[in-house]
Amino acid sequence: MAFVTRQFVRSVSSSSTASASAKKIIIKHVTVIGGGLMGAGIAQVAAATGHTVVLVDQTEDILAKSRKGIEESLRKVAKKKFAETPKVIKTPMTSQKTFESLIDFSKALGKHPVSCKDTPGFIVNRLLVPYCMEAIRLHERGDASKEDIDTAMKLGAGYPMGPFELLDYVGLDTVKFIMDGWHEMDAKNPLFQPSPSLNKLVAENKFGRKTGEGYYKYQ
Ligand SMILES: NC(=O)c1ccc[n+]([C@@H]2O[C@H](COP(=O)([O-])OP(=O)(O)OC[C@H]3O[C@@H](n4cnc5c(N)ncnc54)[C@H](O)[C@@H]3O)[C@@H](O)[C@H]2O)c1
């Protein structure tokens, strides 16, 4: 795996032959732009399944952190993450060949791809983000502690993480970014209303696990 700063390596994203235009593309080389939570995970999975991977980010420091995270993760028993189901999106501009090639690529990564329309949040975020925001509102109203909400959802609904653990894992900056976008898109939707506690934590650079503090504190 190569770690590259600020370069976009256009030529390595896929391989095909001119005469095989009707055939599906077999993806062997993968370039991941952004080596954060998602990018580092995608790069690791792609490398572990025999693909050549280039990971690109803005600074050497960030790439060193990505490398360290991947190395630590490889040493541990693979933890089941919620990115097990890639969503392959077919827009009116996506050819059937590209769509099918990406389904095959997802399977080559050892994943179970699903498909959905090009709609905000696709499947998982469209359901999980409003659910997490409802948990925040429950807590902000003083109806239950975040610890009890997390315990209730883990034991009562069989979720592997409670909503506050999940928020801190995903990254509060990412969740706020998503919510702000949806609020702008549909300001009257009660599910898309901003949260004072989320906004405050993000303003204080408390993004969750990646910064050591979010709704919870981490060592
Ligand atoms: N965190 C999740 O659970 C989750 C789930 C689904 C989708 N997503 C989406 O995935 C994307 C990344 O999320 P994340 O959680 O990995 O964020 P992150 O903050 O952990 O990582 C983002 C990385 O991208 C890098 N970056 C930013 N601009 C760049 C540029 N111009 N060139 C190269 N690198 C650049 C940043 O330096 C950072 O390392 C977001 O669009 C997010 O909405 C995240």
Side-chain angles (χ1 to χ4, degrees):
M1 187 189 298
F3 292 78
V4 177
T5 315
R6 286 194 198 129
Q7 280 184 26
F8 183 65
V9 189
R10 189 166 172 267
S11 60
V12 297
S13 59
S14 66
S15 66
S16 65
T17 60
S19 62
S21 58
K23 289 185 189 165
K24 286 189 271 187
I25 301 159
I26 298 168
I27 296 170
K28 294 177 181 165
H29 309 285
V30 178
T31 300
V32 182
I33 314 291
L37 181 68
M38 296 299 289
I42 292 165
Q44 180 185 329
V45 169
T49 47
H51 299 82
T52 312
V53 180
V54 174
L55 185 60
V56 182
D57 213 304
Q58 300 181 95
T59 67
E60 291 294 340
D61 284 354
I62 299 173
L63 285 172
K65 203 175 158 196
S66 307
R67 185 195 296 264
K68 189 165 171 271
I70 291 170
E71 285 168 356
E72 280 172 5
S73 173
L74 287 172
R75 265 181 255 124
K76 290 179 197 156
V77 178
K79 196 177 147 194
K80 191 163 171 60
K81 292 183 181 162
F82 51 93
E84 287 295 314
T85 312
K87 274 146 277 170
V88 182
I89 312 304
K90 193 170 188 309
T91 75
M93 289 180 292
T94 312
S95 71
Q96 188 64 19
K97 175 176 131 180
T98 299
F99 177 75
E100 286 176 14
S101 301
L102 287 169
I103 292 279
D104 286 355
F105 172 60
S106 302
K107 289 179 183 167
L109 296 176
K111 305 292 175 188
H112 302 278
V114 295
S115 165
C116 116
K117 284 189 181 170
D118 186 12
T119 178
F122 306 127
I123 298 174
V124 174
N125 277 350
R126 182 62 184 81
L127 295 175
L128 270 186
V129 175
Y131 151 73
C132 287
M133 294 302 294
E134 278 299 280
I136 294 175
R137 289 183 198 108
L138 191 69
H139 174 55
E140 284 176 348
R141 288 195 300 269
D143 294 343
S145 70
K146 50 185 186 282
E147 291 81 2
D148 281 357
I149 295 170
D150 277 351
T151 302
M153 293 313 293
K154 283 189 283 187
L155 300 183
Y159 285 15
M161 286 185 228
F164 291 95
E165 293 167 331
L166 183 59
L167 283 156
D168 279 356
Y169 180 81
V170 166
L172 303 186
D173 54 335
T174 301
V175 175
K176 178 173 157 49
F177 182 77
I178 294 169
M179 274 320 292
D180 287 351
W182 290 359
H183 182 66
E184 204 179 304
M185 180 185 76
D186 183 2
K188 287 186 182 156
N189 191 326
L191 294 174
F192 300 162
Q193 297 310 306
S195 144
S197 69
L198 179 66
N199 286 350
K200 183 171 181 291
L201 287 168
V202 172
E204 293 168 352
N205 288 329
K206 293 173 181 168
F207 297 161
R209 281 190 171 274
K210 60 183 156 186
T211 58
E213 186 173 349
Y215 280 98
Y216 294 115
K217 286 188 180 167
Y218 302 88
Q219 295 269 322

